[in-house]
């Protein structure tokens, strides 16, 4: 697939079933996510809608349907953490290593910079060499290693955290623009 056939766009709640189809094998067969039961489509719709109020949720659309998604969510819920997010990404197992993840993360960073977000944090089950290489390629570096902190599929698993800084740290910092406000601003700019 050529990259110009890929359309990275904001996800909508109508994408829930397709995104869940991508996510399900990672839940059922791997410890890449620590979620153990596959969420319902209704639950997934709720998650997309909640995330989109504050942060970007992106889908990689192609002639084959949606083949990957990425989003940012709050790193921690206290206000002083507003400039930090957790990033998450899942590419359809059939479409890995084709540049889909790269296209999604590039667009995710574009939105996050527009919001004045400064810190990106990724939580990665260890080992996951593909994800670690991918994040390293994007400029993330490892900051923490937690030992056997999750139990799934009959085994205990470690996680690492990787971080990346994407902006200048001013004092005071520019306020974070919530995603719904940013989208409204852009729509006003268009008319
Ligand atoms: C990790 C993951 C998100 C990476 O996404 P991806 O789409 O496979 O990654 P990309 O194809 O963009 O990049 C992977 C490699 O392909 C290369 N690549 C990029 N565009 C390419 C293209 N058009 N053709 C061939 N290769 C390409 C990249 O250079 C990269 O190589 P490198 O890692 O040696 O630098 C994906 O494999 C995935 O979903 N894994 C399972 C879920 C997961 O682990 N998520 C992260 C949880 S923390």
């Amino acid at each position: 697939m050529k990259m110009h056939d890929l359309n990275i766009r904001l996800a909508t709640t109508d994408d829930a079933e397709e995104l869940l189809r991508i996510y399900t094998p990672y839940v059922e067969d791997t410890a890449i996510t620590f979620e153990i039961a596959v969420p319902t489509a209704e639950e997934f719709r709720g998650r997309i809608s909640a995330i989109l109020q504050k942060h970007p949720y992106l889908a990689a659309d192609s002639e084959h349907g949606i083949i990957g998604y990425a989003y940012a969510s709050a790193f921690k819920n206290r206000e002083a953490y507003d400039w930090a997010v957790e990033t998450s990404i899942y590419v359809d197992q059939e479409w890995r290593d084709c540049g889909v993840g790269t296209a999604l993360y590039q667009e995710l960073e574009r939105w996050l910079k527009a919001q004045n977000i400064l810190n990106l944090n990724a939580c990665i089950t260890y080992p996951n060499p593909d994800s670690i290489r991918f994040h390293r390629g994007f400029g993330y570096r490892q900051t923490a290693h937690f030992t056997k902190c999750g139990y799934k599929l009959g085994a205990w698993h470690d996680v690492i955290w990787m971080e990346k800084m994407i902006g200048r740290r001013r004092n005071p910092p520019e306020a974070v623009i919530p995603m719904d406000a940013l989208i409204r601003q852009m729509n006003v700019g268009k008319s």
Side-chain angles (χ1 to χ4, degrees), residues 3 26 32 89-92 95-103 122-125 128 130-131 133-135:
M3 276 310 106
Y26 291 114
I32 286 174
I89 181 162
Y90 293 91
V91 173
D92 187 320
W95 289 98
R96 285 167 67 169
D97 268 339
C98 300
V100 177
T102 300
C123 179
I124 301 172
T125 307
N128 180 346
D130 287 352
S131 179
R133 201 185 65 221
F134 176 77
H135 282 89

